[in-house]
Amino acid sequence: MSTPKPRITVIGTGYLGATHAAAMAELGFEVLGLDIDPAKIAMLERGELPMYEPGLGELLRRHVAGHEGASGRLRFTTSYAEAGEFGDIHFLCVNTPQKHGEYACDMSYVDRALDSLAPHLTRSALVVGKSTVPVGSADRLAARLAELAPAGDDAELAWNPEFLREGFAVEDTLHPDRIVVGVRSERAETLLRAVYATPVAEGTPFIVTDFPTAELVKTSANSFLATKISFINAMAEVCEAADGDVVKLAEAIGHDDRIGKKFLRAGIGFGGGCLPKDIRAFMARAGELGASEALTFLREVDSINMRRRAQMVELTREAVGGALLGKRVAVLGATFKPDSDDVRDSPALNVAGQLHLQGAQVTVYDPKGMENARALFPTLGYAASAAEAVRGTDVVLHLTEWAEFRELDPAALGETVAQRHILDGRNTLDPQLWRKSGWTFRALGRPTA
Ligand SMILES: NC(=O)c1ccc[n+]([C@@H]2O[C@H](COP(=O)([O-])OP(=O)(O)OC[C@H]3O[C@@H](n4cnc5c(N)ncnc54)[C@H](O)[C@@H]3O)[C@@H](O)[C@H]2O)c1
């Protein structure tokens, strides 16, 4: 007789949790998603996504109970009692933002989630952290769980960091490039092997570690990626000083397979709900551990990244003749990357906001991020399309590399602007194409003509 599949809860149904919940249902598990935001839960129950993520809406509707043709394996709740009663495995997917006014991670959401769940664990259960947390958190939370769970030692903790990329979240969750689990018992490892049996059978490496290593894998991976982006952006600064071309430079060094082409596109840098806060939290935690010297380079990585935003503002000022006051600026892109509606710490919106504060009249257009952008920066102007955003403007800024912006027709747009100036903050537009239609084209780290 085969053992029944473990039942899964997913605590926190944001970008990570909603994807994880739907993916677990797709893998054949009974899943209960929980969030403290009743509006989010109501939407998910209706089969609607509270965010934009390609393919996730379809996946959700394939499984949400009560929908025609759905497997019915996915349900949602706001009740911790129900989650405790239902689940054998509980994935913690709540947010871990930067603390106000300091670099450290705000663990209050994770702490609250664990404190709410633990008293309802009256039988054998595995609580699996997926949020990105400072090293040492799992150890602390395991002690807290032991203290609060009526099941005692039968309620156990594991850490299973998440590596999904927004824009590819469904693919990354169903077919991850690696699975890392920090465990303290064979039972925990066996349960997690059962959860991930399908991707492991497809060849995904399954790496078993202790708690601190599992936590560190995530923060070190993000630090490496941030460093690679800031490296090429530092080269862009040097190219600007020496009249070199960072795009050619990146192409040339990328052919060396020890370096590789990925994450070598110079531009206005990284943002989003992960990289910036994760490298800062990592520095703060290293300081607490007496290892701050090991990570001082991340301060430079962060500074290079933030300088690119400032440089974009300077290029804009130059393009409009030296003073931003009253100048009309179109900003194409608001999200921190394409194929997402996420505007958390978005370089594009940050640049738009700086220009606005310096007196420019800024009009923003983004294919999916308008609602979130408006909520964060209600004082910026917003347009319903790229064509509308650029009409009558003195300069156009390309700040998020959505595919639709590469399809824009420079000749047609040129008829509607006041001045044909375009600044490419992502190095994905074709300079020849724009220059042919009479535009002055400038980009970060590239020669002016
Ligand atoms: N977004 C990504 O691409 C990504 C990738 C890898 C890892 N992560 C990590 O995953 C975690 C979640 O990130 P996210 O982007 O999904 O955040 P998010 O803000 O989109 O989602 C977090 C959700 O948790 C809910 N929540 C907060 N407190 C709760 C509580 N006590 N009980 C139940 N629900 C609660 C919130 O209402 C929200 O819906 C973070 O640690 C992040 O660093 C995110």
Side-chain angles (χ1 to χ4, degrees):
M1 202 179 78
S2 66
T3 48
K5 277 192 170 222
R7 296 200 298 184
I8 289 175
T9 81
V10 175
I11 316 262
T13 55
Y15 288 92
L16 163 56
T19 311
H20 194 68
M24 290 295 114
E26 176 75 7
L27 293 178
F29 296 96
E30 296 288 329
V31 183
L32 182 64
L34 179 150
D35 206 286
I36 45 166
D37 181 345
K40 209 171 251 191
I41 289 299
M43 282 186 81
L44 289 164
E45 277 176 335
R46 291 196 299 271
E48 294 166 20
L49 270 190
M51 79 288 276
Y52 172 73
E53 178 60 44
L56 184 54
E58 292 78 352
L59 193 67
L60 181 74
R61 288 184 286 279
R62 248 211 320 271
H63 298 293
V64 177
H67 286 260
E68 209 186 311
S71 74
R73 287 196 291 271
L74 180 54
R75 292 186 303 111
F76 292 94
T77 186
T78 53
S79 159
Y80 270 102
E82 191 183 347
E85 164 69 23
F86 176 86
D88 303 302
I89 303 180
H90 305 273
F91 284 100
L92 292 182
C93 300
V94 303
N95 39 326
T96 51
Q98 186 176 340
K99 268 188 189 165
H100 248 306
E102 44 183 306
Y103 271 14
C105 170
D106 178 354
M107 282 293 287
S108 63
Y109 300 88
V110 176
D111 291 347
R112 229 170 290 150
L114 188 90
D115 283 8
S116 306
L117 175 68
H120 298 289
L121 301 180
T122 53
R123 60 183 166 84
S124 175
L126 184 66
V127 178
V128 185
K130 283 195 91 58
S131 301
T132 304
V133 296
V135 60
S137 302
D139 191 37
R140 180 176 64 76
L141 293 165
R144 185 83 184 142
L145 181 63
E147 202 180 298
L148 294 179
D153 287 349
D154 281 346
E156 203 189 329
L157 192 84
W159 214 263
N160 168 218
E162 177 57 54
F163 304 102
L164 70 81
R165 299 160 299 168
E166 284 175 28
F168 305 92
V170 170
E171 175 70 14
D172 287 350
T173 308
L174 289 172
H175 310 285
D177 53 14
R178 79 284 210 193
I179 293 160
V180 176
V181 298
V183 292
R184 280 188 170 163
S185 75
E186 236 173 71
R187 179 182 78 120
E189 181 182 335
T190 305
L191 274 171
L192 286 166
R193 280 190 187 278
V195 167
Y196 294 116
T198 304
V200 169
E202 286 171 0
T204 299
F206 187 87
I207 298 158
V208 182
T209 76
D210 51 28
F211 282 178
T213 309
E215 295 165 316
L216 285 168
V217 168
K218 176 64 190 173
T219 41
S220 61
N222 274 358
S223 299
F224 187 86
L225 296 173
T227 303
K228 203 168 175 194
I229 297 170
S230 277
F231 171 81
I232 200 64
N233 281 332
M235 295 308 109
E237 285 190 11
V238 179
C239 283
E240 279 157 19
D243 219 16
D245 184 342
V246 75
V247 174
K248 281 281 164 208
L249 180 146
E251 182 193 337
I253 64 173
H255 283 299
D256 182 334
D257 62 11
R258 294 169 303 176
I259 295 173
K261 287 188 193 323
K262 288 184 178 167
F263 267 54
L264 269 194
R265 188 178 299 121
I268 53 169
F270 58 81
C274 290
L275 289 197
K277 60 108 175 154
D278 287 350
I279 62 168
R280 291 174 195 152
F282 200 16
M283 281 186 268
R285 184 64 186 137
E288 289 168 5
L289 293 168
S292 56
E293 267 185 15
L295 298 185
T296 45
F297 75 96
L298 287 179
R299 194 173 291 274
E300 202 49 52
V301 165
D302 201 2
S303 305
I304 293 166
N305 192 53
M306 298 310 280
R307 279 207 298 274
R308 293 286 78 190
R309 302 178 185 187
Q311 173 66 0
M312 198 67 210
V313 173
E314 287 319 305
L315 280 187
T316 311
R317 193 194 316 280
E318 277 173 34
V320 297
L324 287 164
L325 192 64
K327 290 292 167 22
R328 284 160 304 172
V329 179
V331 167
L332 301 183
T335 54
F336 83 100
K337 56 146 61 175
D339 299 315
S340 172
D341 66 348
D342 195 347
V343 300
R344 288 177 288 185
D345 201 357
S346 163
L349 259 195
N350 182 292
V351 167
Q354 288 189 50
L355 292 167
H356 169 72
L357 290 174
Q358 295 187 37
Q361 292 174 30
V362 181
T363 306
V364 179
Y365 166 71
D366 188 279
K368 296 287 178 194
M370 298 290 274
E371 208 180 307
N372 288 339
R374 217 182 251 120
L376 200 63
F377 275 104
T379 49
L380 296 174
Y382 292 92
S385 66
E388 193 186 308
V390 306
R391 197 169 300 138
T393 53
D394 300 300
V395 60
V396 177
L397 275 56
H398 172 243
L399 299 186
T400 310
E401 62 273 42
W402 285 95
E404 76 166 69
F405 298 147
R406 290 195 289 281
E407 310 294 314
L408 290 172
D409 177 357
L413 283 189
E415 299 297 322
T416 71
V417 293
Q419 304 286 334
R420 294 184 184 199
H421 293 304
I422 179 139
L423 304 179
D424 186 2
R426 292 297 183 182
N427 275 317
T428 51
L429 301 179
D430 178 356
Q432 308 311 335
L433 199 68
W434 288 81
R435 287 182 179 139
K436 231 170 39 200
S437 298
W439 290 75
T440 61
F441 181 101
R442 289 196 69 186
L444 294 172
R446 306 199 80 177
T448 41

